[in-house]
Amino acid sequence: MTQSARAQEPGTTVTLHPGDDGSGAVRRTVLPGGLRIITEAIPSTRSASFGIWAGVGSRDETPEDAGASHYLEHVLFKGTRRRSALEISAALDAVGGDLNAFTAKEYTCYYARVLDADLPIAVDVVSDMVAASLNRPEDVEAERNVILEEIHMRDDDPGDLIHDEFSTALFGDVPIGRPILGTVDSINALSRDRIHAYYRRHYVPSRLVVAAAGNVDHDAVVRLVTTAFAELPGVEGDLPAEPRIGGPAVPTAPTVRVVDKDTEQAHIVLGTAGLCRTDDRRFALGVLNAALGGGMSSRLFQEVREKRGLAYSVYSYTAQYADTGLFGVYAGCQPGKADEVLSICRDEVARVAETSLTEEELERGKGQLRGGMVLGLEDSGSRMSRIGKSELVYESLLPVDEVLAKIDAVTLDDVREVGRDVLTRPGALTVIGPFGDRDFTL
């Protein structure tokens, strides 16, 4: 375990992990205003990834602000007092770098990946975007149409839409249950002044984490970030972080949501509320998820696709949030096969909840989880994401070896316990397809 930033004096630097001869060393500096800077040194690479993580996402929105976090993500690319939208993109294109961003339920991230020698450019551009956005009325209006098109694109892709519908069915009409994109009505109602006020309220030092990984020097990154933020007006002072609004509404009875849509395939998600991100049982649930629906050897894939050929895509998945989570099973099949596929998925979930996994499935699930984690950390971008997200949403950063040890320590009893708890909770079923008002309750 590493110490929390809350216990660190502002203006100081600590080494969270010493690494091996400098490789993999993780260090954190907390600036006087509360801005946290965390880096991981990987001298063997020639790239550097830089990101700024804001502790605000769609879960922090009132109904009147629905979609504001994602809307703001778009607008921050449109220009600052130093750069136009073209100059922002051209600065990274000129060095062959990647510049992007994404919005989630509980955070937003702006990031760039460049050659190590070009890190100062990435720091300057991304910091400028995040801290000194103008949010001009004309830019807000231009992006409004882009976001409305993104919503329409999501609505035209039932494989994407089904997951938003499932969250709404599971959690209800609370912030965590609403779509990250917002709705057509909420996006049309958002004014420039409201978006700018949202920006000024949430993009403050205490809610920002700067992360860099690759062939980077921590002290150099701190100097670059300090210089970049010192000259920028967007995050003057430090305001207290606002509490999250509206907790999750976990169903007390099964909820069914059917979206009648003229599609070639039926799209199904069956699931329950899961575990929060700090629940120690998340490692056992991860192993269970891998064995149940995480790969070609999983129970769901074998029963639904390999043995019966009923679906091309079938899998299970988990998501963790601050105080809750979700567990879901997805399948896409011909509408006429929906009942059979749904019955098999329910049976397999119930069987795992009742009898757990076999020893062979346990070991295979653990191996899949270990390999997926380590192989997913092979580049500077994934390393930056790991340390940045961990610093923002966890109390401490677990070393990779400690995470692997926790996976290895999962037993059949652990899986049995978490399966009986999570998989028997009241849940939700969401179906998209040409079903009219058909009743899927049973």
Side-chain angles (χ1 to χ4, degrees), residues 48 64 74 91 98 130 132 150 173 206 239 272 287 401 408 415 441:
E64 294 75 22
H74 278 243
D98 297 322
V130 169
E150 192 172 352
D173 187 23
S206 61
L239 302 178
T272 71
V287 172
D401 287 343
D408 281 334
V415 173
T441 303

Side-chain angles (χ1 to χ4, degrees), residues 16 55 79 121 132 175 203 210 218 274-275 298 323 343 345-346 366 414:
L16 303 181
I121 296 172
Y203 280 62
V210 172
H218 180 82
L275 305 178
S298 67
D323 55 357
S343 177
C345 290
R346 281 174 163 157
K366 289 159 71 169
D414 295 332

Side-chain angles (χ1 to χ4, degrees), residues 122 128 363 366:
D128 192 22
E363 292 306 316
K366 289 159 71 169

Side-chain angles (χ1 to χ4, degrees), residues 33-36 204-208 237-241 392:
L35 182 68
R36 288 166 281 170
V204 295
S206 61
R207 303 197 73 176
L208 297 177
D238 185 22
L239 302 178
L392 187 68

Side-chain angles (χ1 to χ4, degrees), residues 97-436:
D98 297 322
L99 176 66
N100 215 327
F102 64 86
T103 305
K105 297 275 188 180
E106 296 181 331
Y107 48 81
T108 309
C109 178
Y110 304 82
Y111 62 94
R113 184 167 180 258
V114 293
L115 296 177
D116 50 10
D118 297 318
L119 180 63
I121 296 172
V123 173
D124 189 38
V125 172
V126 179
S127 300
D128 192 22
M129 286 171 49
V130 169
S133 176
L134 296 176
N135 302 326
R136 292 171 296 206
E138 59 269 30
D139 294 332
V140 171
E141 289 308 312
E143 284 306 300
R144 191 186 310 275
N145 292 328
V146 174
I147 294 167
L148 291 174
E149 287 303 316
E150 192 172 352
I151 292 174
H152 296 322
M153 184 170 65
R154 187 276 317 269
D155 290 345
D156 284 342
D157 182 357
D160 190 11
L161 176 63
I162 189 71
H163 296 289
D164 278 349
E165 295 290 346
F166 174 68
S167 287
T168 300
L170 183 64
F171 294 118
D173 187 23
V174 294
I176 199 171
R178 298 182 193 128
I180 293 170
L181 299 180
T183 65
V184 170
D185 289 342
S186 71
I187 295 303
N188 279 325
L190 282 170
S191 66
R192 182 270 173 187
D193 289 345
R194 192 168 190 93
I195 290 173
H196 189 65
Y198 191 84
Y199 166 68
R200 296 292 294 178
R201 186 164 69 250
H202 291 287
Y203 280 62
V204 295
S206 61
R207 303 197 73 176
L208 297 177
V209 168
V210 172
N215 191 17
V216 301
D217 175 76
H218 180 82
D219 293 335
V221 172
V222 171
R223 287 193 296 271
L224 290 169
V225 172
T226 302
T227 300
F229 275 82
E231 298 177 358
L232 303 177
V235 290
E236 292 174 351
D238 185 22
L239 302 178
E242 296 185 357
R244 292 226 134 90
I245 57 174
V250 179
T252 57
T255 303
V256 177
R257 187 178 183 91
V258 179
V259 179
D260 182 36
K261 208 172 183 67
D262 187 19
T263 59
E264 293 296 322
Q265 266 199 323
H267 298 264
I268 301 166
V269 172
L270 171 72
T272 71
L275 305 178
C276 71
R277 67 168 64 95
T278 56
D279 193 317
D280 287 338
R281 298 175 298 162
R282 67 189 184 275
F283 301 102
L285 185 61
V287 172
L288 184 156
N289 175 63
L292 177 63
M296 294 177 63
S297 64
S298 67
R299 286 195 187 187
L300 289 173
F301 193 93
Q302 288 295 313
E303 293 295 327
V304 174
R305 175 168 166 167
E306 291 298 288
K307 292 182 180 179
R308 297 175 177 86
L310 294 173
Y312 177 77
S313 180
V314 58
Y315 58 85
S316 62
Y317 63 99
T318 65
Q320 287 86 40
Y321 306 115
D323 55 357
T324 187
L326 62 82
F327 177 90
V329 171
Y330 166 85
C333 62
Q334 295 178 34
K337 303 293 186 182
D339 286 332
E340 187 177 359
V341 169
L342 183 55
S343 177
I344 295 169
C345 290
R346 281 174 163 157
D347 287 347
E348 290 304 319
V349 169
R351 189 171 292 115
V352 170
E354 182 178 352
T355 64
S356 189
L357 306 176
T358 66
E359 190 69 46
E360 181 183 355
E361 287 175 322
L362 175 73
E363 292 306 316
R364 193 161 60 233
K366 289 159 71 169
Q368 185 177 338
L369 213 55
R370 288 193 305 264
M373 178 189 174
V374 174
L375 293 177
L377 294 175
E378 289 291 297
D379 63 86
S380 63
S382 59
R383 293 291 188 99
M384 183 279 293
S385 293
R386 177 176 181 268
I387 62 174
K389 180 180 175 182
S390 293
E391 180 63 36
L392 187 68
V393 303
Y394 289 97
E395 283 293 317
S396 59
L397 173 66
L398 286 179
V400 172
D401 287 343
E402 190 170 334
V403 175
L404 296 177
K406 286 181 177 292
I407 295 171
D408 281 334
V410 172
T411 66
L412 283 175
D413 285 341
D414 295 332
V415 173
R416 183 178 297 108
E417 178 187 339
V418 78
R420 285 177 177 172
D421 177 11
V422 173
L423 302 184
T424 59
R425 295 176 179 179
L429 167 67
T430 305
V431 181
I432 296 178
F435 297 112

